[in-house]
Amino acid sequence: MSRLSGLIDRKLAKFLLVGVVNTLVGTAIMFGLYNLAHCSYWVSSAANYILTSILSFFLNKYFTFESKGNSAGEVLRFALNIAVCYLLAYGIAKPLCLHLLAGASAAVRDNVSMLVGMCLFTGFNYIGQRFFAFRQK
């Protein structure tokens, strides 16, 4: 239990605050592209994470984790973390929602899947950023 309590601290609060900003911007991008511009599920969700990841890197590096580390190494670890978290979260969400919402329209399934993917991504991303991208030595 002590490991879990180590995850719930000031860094988590800062990460969630940064996440609110990214979520507002990213949600507008993702659902706007999917529902208004009629882009695909993958294009809409990927555009969200590509565009908001740039802002997230700087806010989390300097504000959340107060990292003084090598920026080149952190950029590479951050990018790898985002890619892995994205593929995991949306790779899980899409088939799960297709199965659970088999009777719903494609638009409903995709919108719910994007919402589930956002939630999964947040959890995976926090752990990846804290212990991999901006790890403390």
Side-chain angles (χ1 to χ4, degrees):
M1 191 61 154
S2 64
R3 283 199 178 266
L4 181 59
S5 64
L7 289 175
I8 302 171
D9 60 6
R10 185 179 175 115
K11 288 179 184 179
L12 177 59
K14 287 179 170 183
F15 183 83
L16 292 174
L17 182 61
V18 167
V20 168
V21 171
N22 278 339
T23 299
L24 292 173
V25 172
T27 300
I29 291 168
M30 183 168 62
F31 288 106
L33 285 174
Y34 183 82
N35 292 299
L36 302 175
H38 306 289
C39 293
S40 74
Y41 171 88
W42 292 109
V43 167
S44 301
S45 62
N48 167 17
Y49 287 97
I50 290 167
L51 296 173
T52 59
S53 289
I54 296 166
L55 175 61
S56 177
F57 174 80
F58 290 103
L59 289 175
N60 282 314
K61 175 178 174 59
Y62 296 109
F63 174 69
T64 304
F65 299 109
E66 300 173 12
S67 176
K68 309 280 191 263
N70 176 329
S71 287
E74 287 177 341
V75 167
L76 291 174
R77 288 191 308 271
F78 182 87
L80 179 60
N81 178 64
I82 293 294
V84 168
C85 291
Y86 170 78
L87 291 172
L88 275 173
Y90 286 85
I92 291 168
K94 180 81 169 173
L96 178 67
C97 290
L98 282 173
H99 175 71
L100 294 176
L101 301 171
S105 71
V108 168
R109 287 192 313 261
D110 283 350
N111 277 284
V112 171
S113 180
M114 287 187 292
L115 185 62
V116 170
M118 286 172 59
C119 295
L120 290 172
F121 180 88
T122 299
F124 295 151
N125 187 35
Y126 174 68
I127 291 169
Q129 284 193 42
R130 181 160 186 169
F131 297 107
F132 177 64
F134 301 115
R135 68 180 177 256
Q136 301 289 319
K137 300 218 175 183

